[in-house]
Amino acid sequence: LLFLSLVCFFCSISNSNLQGTGFNVCHQFQEVRAIKRCKKIGIKTPEVYGSDDSTGKIFMEDLTKAKTLRDHLLEHVHDYSQQMGLMSKIGEILGKMHSNNIIHGDLTTSNMMLDENSEIIYIY
């Protein structure tokens, strides 16, 4: 499952913006459902406040202070021990997701986020 961008409080992704991309209300429902399933099994996710089926918008927690794992790794390219710790944490999270039949589908370092302390990883 492809989690939508979580870097904003109000995701401005709407059906009109995504015409021709295959995104629809069914995909929106799947995104919200996947986030809720991850939270239910103890994976740190942004809080989802709701969604609007008519526009395809998802309302969620503000993560503007978070940064992508990609940016963090580029900033700390010589800190091997920290990078190994992050990779281990990612493996734990993905293992937990897969053991609960939650498959991401588009996993890159650009769609994983670290909080302000560079400790908690959000995968979207």
Side-chain angles (χ1 to χ4, degrees), residues 77-96:
V77 70
H78 298 293
D79 193 345
Y80 180 75
S81 63
Q82 183 192 47
Q83 289 183 2
M84 291 306 294
L86 288 172
M87 296 306 128
S88 177
K89 180 69 174 171
I90 291 167
E92 290 172 21
I93 292 170
L94 292 177
K96 194 172 195 178

Side-chain angles (χ1 to χ4, degrees), residues 13-74:
I13 296 175
S14 68
N15 291 334
S16 61
N17 292 341
L18 296 171
Q19 284 182 336
T21 65
F23 184 85
N24 58 35
V25 174
C26 181
H27 289 118
Q28 172 192 339
F29 173 77
Q30 291 172 339
E31 301 297 329
V32 172
R33 190 174 128 222
I35 292 170
K36 289 180 177 182
R37 287 179 64 205
C38 285
K39 184 176 286 299
K40 184 177 179 180
I41 62 171
I43 295 172
K44 180 82 171 162
T45 64
E47 196 66 43
V48 175
Y49 302 122
S51 63
D52 182 348
D53 294 343
S54 65
T55 62
K57 294 179 180 177
I58 301 172
F59 302 88
M60 59 182 63
E61 176 182 358
D62 181 10
L63 295 178
T64 54
K65 294 182 182 178
K67 69 169 69 171
T68 65
L69 177 61
R70 179 186 185 280
D71 289 344
H72 180 81
L73 292 174
L74 289 173

Side-chain angles (χ1 to χ4, degrees), residues 65-67 72 82 86 114-120 122:
K65 294 182 182 178
K67 69 169 69 171
H72 180 81
Q82 183 192 47
L86 288 172
L114 304 178
D115 69 2
E116 297 114 0
N117 301 318
S118 300
E119 294 176 358
I120 306 297
Y122 300 92

